[in-house]
């Protein structure tokens, strides 16, 4: 298990202490039963070896047919939903058919009384424990969380008035509260006033539920506001970052390559070799090291890593003593694993570069010029349409890239006329995809007609070193840094609860000026900045959260969204 004090570690620690330690008995093995949500949750933060060390002998799916094990007790870690509770009841309906010796039931979130009452149908004295743990989110990365709200995007942005938007809001708010509870934080809640009312509505719900939670929680009676903040934004705050092609490794990989469920399929030794699968997650140290670096840097780094591994192998092979041979054999699985990782990342980088050398390089230049309003030499772009038109007329580009380019133009122009939009669609020959452009209005982004809405002012980053095709900085980075330095306008960013004293702006630095060398003891005094973006986050925004955290010793930025799919850019 990772020793990093990030989200994954925090979630695992809470599961360990509030579930596994809670029902622990020396020398006693137990069976662990999970449903769909808790299986994914546990998989995200621990391995089977971790569970074995905690006295778990078998992990099973509660929904599948299982053989009775009458001499073992069972831990049920399940969601508070009817389907899961019904399967618990089925396991203990009658004395003769009890599947296990006893049941310890732990709900991932607050359980309704109606479901609690269902458990009364179980045999008396078989249920030894029944508790709510309050973890209803996924720790995607050490500083990234995902909420489990299927169809939330449709429910929140659909123009159909019959859609139950309130139910989605309630679910999101409740899950954010479980995130705060898991982090042991009662943050000050702040929201971005525009472009829609979603952020304000959600912030109000979260604050209400935080007050309720810390009044009823046994451990934290009326807990005061902690030295942390929660910022809630609606996706329309920065549409540009969602359509730009990013050339940092993680963003590029997920944008241009067919990654499914974080798995990349590749052939390490050419087309004749057997296809392998590589998982892109934080168990891979190489991935963690290079994921936020520019593709040009990654291409230089991976061969160096390969060389280090190879030289280590040759050094071991050169010593022919029995002891050195024995040591080498012990290292072999590790070396083989490392070599496999290098092949995986080289394959990823090479596949990315093949895409880049095709049409992506020219497309990125157009995108950067449009987004920033200046070219790489600093010359102002006078006519956006003249920059865009070659992209639309390029027969080698697919419709998806043309749609992204048109959207970028519309965002930069702050909307356009209906006549101009029709002309753009006709030039690009994407008549069947016109709604993809028009529907952005439901996210609060001007499409037709042009808007006089003022664009946000940007921080001066002219002195920062960047690659020519990666000059754009996501707006979220400005927001995070301004918040740390107490520069956000309270009229645009109202509070639902007062700003904690820690956020007075003293000693804050830009993400490129100072590197975070924080140790575990230091992290105890770190103020957390939790950011939730309704409508999705991009990998470039995730990178920004890490960069600012690394630059500021006493601030850790945690960023997230609902559902399980990140916006690709």
């Amino acid at each position: 298990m990772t020793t990093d004090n990030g989200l994954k570690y925090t979630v695992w620690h809470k599961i360990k202490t509030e579930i596994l330690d809670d029902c622990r008995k020396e020398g006693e093995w137990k069976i662990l039963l999970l449903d769909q949500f808790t299986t994914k949750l546990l998989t995200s933060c621990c391995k089977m070896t971790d569970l074995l060390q905690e006295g778990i002998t078998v992990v099973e799916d509660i929904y599948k047919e299982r053989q009775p094990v009458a001499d073992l007790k069972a831990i049920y870690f399940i969601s508070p939903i009817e389907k899961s509770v019904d399967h618990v009841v089925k396991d203990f309906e009658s004395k003769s058919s009890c599947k296990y010796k006893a049941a310890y039931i732990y709900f991932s979130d607050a359980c309704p009384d109606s479901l609690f009452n269902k458990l009364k149908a179980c045999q008396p004295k078989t249920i030894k424990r029944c508790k709510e743990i309050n973890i209803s989110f996924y720790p995607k990365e050490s500083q990234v969380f995902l909420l489990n709200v299927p169809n939330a995007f449709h429910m929140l942005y659909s123009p159909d008035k019959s859609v139950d938007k309130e139910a989605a809001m309630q679910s999101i708010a409740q899950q954010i509260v479980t995130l705060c509870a898991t982090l042991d934080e009662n943050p000050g809640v702040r929201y971005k006033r525009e472009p829609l009312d979603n952020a304000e509505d959600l912030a109000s719900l979260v604050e209400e539920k935080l007050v309720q939670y810390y009044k009823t929680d046994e451990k934290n009676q009326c807990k005061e506001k902690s030295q942390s903040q929660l910022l809630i934004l609606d996706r329309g705050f920065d549409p540009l970052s969602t359509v730009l092609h990013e050339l940092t490794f993680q963003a590029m990989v997920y944008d241009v390559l067919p990654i499914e469920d974080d798995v990349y399929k590749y052939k390490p030794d050419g087309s004749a070799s057997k296809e392998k699968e590589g998982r892109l997650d934080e168990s891979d140290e190489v991935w963690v090291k290079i994921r936020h670096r520019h593709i040009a840097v990654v291409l230089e780094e991976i061969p160096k890593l390969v060389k280090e591994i190879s030289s280590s192998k040759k050094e071991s092979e050169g010593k022919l003593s029995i002891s050195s041979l024995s040591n080498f054999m012990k290292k072999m699985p590790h070396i083989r694993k490392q070599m496999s990782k290098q092949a995986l990342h080289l394959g990823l980088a090479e596949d990315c570069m093949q895409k880049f050398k095709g049409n992506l390089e020219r497309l990125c230049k157009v995108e950067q010029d449009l987004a920033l309003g200046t070219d790489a030499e600093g010359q102002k772009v006078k006519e956006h349409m003249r920059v865009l038109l070659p992209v639309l007329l390029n027969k080698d580009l697919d419709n998806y890239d043309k749609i992204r380019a048109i959207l970028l133009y519309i965002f930069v122009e702050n909307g356009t006329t209906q006549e101009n939009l029709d002309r753009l669609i006709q030039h690009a020959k994407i008549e069947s995809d016109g709604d993809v452009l028009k529907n952005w209005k439901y996210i609060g982004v001007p499409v037709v007609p042009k808007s006089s809405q003022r664009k946000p002012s940007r921080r001066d980053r002219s002195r920062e070193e960047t690659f020519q095709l990666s000059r754009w900085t996501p707006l979220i980075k400005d927001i995070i840094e301004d918040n740390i330095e107490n520069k956000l306008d309270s009229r645009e960013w109202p509070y639902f609860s007062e700003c904690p004293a820690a956020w007075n702006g003293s000693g804050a630095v830009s993400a490129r000026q100072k590197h975070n060398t924080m140790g575990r003891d230091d992290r105890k005094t770190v103020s957390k900045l939790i950011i939730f973006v309704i409508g999705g986050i991009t990998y470039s925004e995730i990178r920004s959260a890490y960069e600012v955290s690394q630059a500021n010793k006493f601030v850790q930025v945690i960023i997230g969204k609902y559902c399980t799919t990140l916006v690709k850019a």
Side-chain angles (χ1 to χ4, degrees), residues 57-303:
T57 181
V58 177
V59 178
E60 293 205 271
D61 184 339
I62 192 174
Y63 299 150
K64 291 184 178 177
E65 282 297 321
R66 291 163 276 118
Q67 291 298 315
V69 189
D71 58 337
L72 285 182
K73 296 174 183 176
I75 299 171
Y76 289 81
F77 181 29
I78 56 175
S79 314
I81 57 174
E82 191 167 19
K83 184 179 178 182
S84 294
V85 171
D86 285 346
H87 277 79
V88 176
V89 173
K90 187 180 175 183
D91 288 350
F92 293 93
E93 270 180 322
S94 65
K95 198 170 183 179
S96 59
S97 64
C98 285
K99 273 192 163 62
Y100 309 107
K101 190 176 180 180
Y104 296 80
I105 302 171
Y106 299 89
F107 290 107
S108 61
D109 203 350
C111 184
D113 290 342
S114 58
L115 293 182
F116 264 125
N117 292 333
K118 273 196 164 195
L119 293 173
K120 293 177 182 177
C122 293
Q123 281 296 298
K125 298 182 181 179
T126 53
I127 297 178
K128 302 295 184 184
R129 199 88 84 247
C130 194
K131 292 174 69 174
E132 295 165 343
I133 302 304
N134 292 307
I135 310 176
S136 54
F137 64 93
Y138 300 116
K140 176 71 174 173
E141 293 182 9
S142 59
Q143 290 176 226
V144 182
F145 66 92
L146 297 175
L147 304 186
N148 182 36
V149 190
N151 302 318
F153 192 92
H154 172 72
M155 294 167 79
L156 294 180
Y157 294 113
S158 173
D160 183 354
K161 300 298 181 185
S162 66
V163 172
D164 193 355
K165 180 178 177 179
E166 179 63 20
M169 281 288 199
Q170 289 285 348
S171 183
I172 291 168
Q174 178 61 28
Q175 291 182 39
I176 289 175
V177 169
T178 73
L179 169 73
C180 296
T182 300
L183 294 168
D184 195 24
E185 299 285 358
N186 185 9
V189 180
R190 200 172 187 183
Y191 66 94
K192 179 81 167 67
R193 193 182 289 279
E194 294 175 341
L196 300 175
D197 296 331
N198 288 335
E200 181 178 0
D201 295 344
L202 181 59
S204 176
L205 278 174
V206 170
E207 178 61 25
E208 181 185 312
K209 289 178 183 292
L210 278 171
V211 170
Q212 186 62 31
Y213 176 80
Y214 282 114
K215 273 185 179 178
T216 58
D217 184 48
E218 295 173 6
K219 296 180 187 174
N220 299 293
Q221 291 289 339
C222 298
K223 178 171 175 149
E224 297 296 322
K225 285 293 179 184
S226 54
Q227 300 300 325
S228 62
Q229 270 200 66
L230 169 64
L231 297 187
I232 297 177
L233 305 87
D234 211 331
R235 184 60 262 176
F237 82 98
D238 175 18
L240 273 76
S241 292
T242 67
V243 296
L244 286 168
H245 283 89
E246 258 271 324
L247 298 180
T248 49
F249 198 39
Q250 183 184 38
M252 192 175 186
V253 163
Y254 278 85
D255 190 358
V256 303
L257 301 182
I259 309 295
E260 292 184 23
D261 297 324
D262 301 323
V263 172
Y264 169 67
K265 294 179 180 178
Y266 67 106
K267 293 183 177 181
D269 302 312
S271 58
S273 61
K274 186 180 178 182
E275 188 174 71
K276 287 190 174 184
E277 290 187 351
R279 180 164 289 279
L280 305 177
D281 61 26
E282 291 183 327
S283 65
D284 179 352
E285 292 178 18
V286 178
W287 172 249
V288 172
K289 187 176 179 182
I290 63 177
R291 62 185 172 183
H292 298 142
R293 296 184 185 178
H294 194 277
I295 185 67
V297 177
V298 169
L299 285 163
E300 290 178 4
E301 284 289 313
I302 295 174

Side-chain angles (χ1 to χ4, degrees), residues 338-468:
Q338 287 300 314
M339 293 299 287
S340 176
K341 294 293 182 190
Q342 311 321 314
L344 164 64
H345 297 303
L346 275 172
L348 282 168
E350 287 169 359
D351 286 355
C352 284
M353 285 309 295
Q354 279 186 353
K355 298 281 186 180
F356 179 75
K357 288 172 181 175
N359 293 300
L360 194 53
E361 185 173 4
R362 280 174 292 173
L363 188 57
C364 284
K365 183 186 183 307
V366 169
E367 289 178 349
Q368 293 295 308
D369 291 354
L370 282 173
L372 284 106
T374 57
D375 61 21
E377 286 72 43
Q379 296 297 312
K380 188 175 180 180
V381 176
K382 294 179 181 178
E383 292 185 47
H384 294 152
M385 181 61 78
R386 184 173 289 181
V387 175
L388 174 68
L389 206 54
V391 173
L392 304 188
L393 300 177
N394 187 339
K395 294 179 181 178
D396 295 328
L397 284 174
D398 60 26
N399 285 356
Y400 179 61
D401 284 329
K402 290 181 180 180
I403 288 169
R404 286 169 70 162
I406 293 173
L407 283 171
L408 179 59
Y409 168 82
I410 292 170
F411 300 156
V412 168
E413 289 280 315
N414 228 3
T416 188
T417 64
Q418 184 64 53
E419 182 185 2
N420 198 30
L421 180 62
D422 291 340
R423 194 182 300 122
L424 289 170
I425 291 171
Q426 189 177 1
H427 277 310
K429 298 181 179 178
I430 54 167
E431 285 82 0
S432 60
D433 294 313
D435 286 346
V436 176
L437 306 175
K438 298 168 187 173
N439 287 346
W440 276 82
K441 65 184 179 184
Y442 299 121
I443 306 175
V445 179
V447 179
V448 174
K450 277 177 87 69
S451 170
S452 57
Q453 183 178 312
R454 182 176 59 87
K455 290 189 178 182
S457 57
R458 299 302 308 265
R459 289 174 75 103
D460 180 13
R461 300 186 184 274
S462 57
R463 295 184 180 180
E464 295 180 3
E465 289 185 19
T466 59
F467 289 87
Q468 288 188 357

